[in-house]
Amino acid sequence: MAKNDNNNRKMSVEEAGKKGGKTTSQNHDREFYEEIGQKGGETTSQNHDQEFYEEIGQKGGETTSKTHDREFYEEIGQKGGETTSQNHDEEFYEEIGQKGGNATSRNHDEEFYEEIGQKGGERRGQQRKNNNNNS
């Protein structure tokens, strides 16, 4: 183990890692980290399958949901939506809408559509009633 500068005792692995990380961050810029992140991501994708990504995504999602509230999700959803709309055209939305509609129809029966139709109709009626009262 390396010697700790403070009092001549040996450093723990954690201390050595922190010291090395601090030195690296002082010596390198954002581009360096982007480059090594890219390389790491490519290597990881070559060494792991879809199941690996599903598993770590599940774990990350569970951890995030425990530590963040609704406002957090609304904020990242807003940012994601804005970025997506800047990067895609109408054709993109038509295509994903079609895919979503097809998946929904495969996964749900007539009762599902009756239920969401009922809810939509009730909500629309309530909106009309509110609009008439505000006029």
Side-chain angles (χ1 to χ4, degrees):
M1 270 189 192
K3 296 278 185 181
N4 185 327
D5 293 337
N6 295 337
N7 56 14
N8 246 1
R9 70 174 174 82
K10 292 184 178 186
M11 271 191 271
S12 70
V13 173
E14 181 180 353
E15 291 170 322
K18 284 182 181 181
K19 186 175 182 182
K22 185 176 182 181
T23 301
T24 302
S25 72
Q26 291 170 347
N27 295 331
H28 296 285
D29 60 4
R30 179 184 181 118
E31 189 176 302
F32 167 80
Y33 288 100
E34 289 174 354
E35 187 178 315
I36 64 171
Q38 181 73 31
K39 289 179 181 177
E42 289 171 1
T43 300
T44 302
S45 71
Q46 291 168 359
N47 295 330
H48 296 284
D49 60 5
Q50 182 176 343
E51 188 176 309
F52 167 80
Y53 288 100
E54 289 172 357
E55 186 177 320
I56 63 171
Q58 181 74 29
K59 289 178 181 177
E62 289 170 1
T63 300
T64 303
S65 71
K66 291 176 186 173
T67 57
H68 292 83
D69 60 6
R70 180 183 179 118
E71 187 177 307
F72 167 80
Y73 287 100
E74 289 174 354
E75 185 178 319
I76 64 171
Q78 181 74 31
K79 288 178 181 177
E82 289 170 2
T83 301
T84 301
S85 70
Q86 291 169 0
N87 295 330
H88 297 286
D89 60 5
E90 185 177 332
E91 187 177 307
F92 168 80
Y93 287 100
E94 289 172 357
E95 184 179 320
I96 64 170
Q98 183 70 41
K99 287 180 181 179
N102 289 340
T104 301
S105 68
R106 283 193 307 272
N107 295 325
H108 297 285
D109 59 7
E110 187 176 327
E111 186 178 314
F112 168 80
Y113 288 101
E114 290 172 358
E115 184 179 323
I116 64 171
Q118 179 72 32
K119 287 179 181 178
E122 289 170 1
R123 179 159 298 165
R124 184 69 176 134
Q126 187 63 43
Q127 288 172 337
R128 285 185 176 159
K129 182 179 177 183
N130 290 342
N131 288 341
N132 288 338
N133 290 338
N134 293 331
S135 298

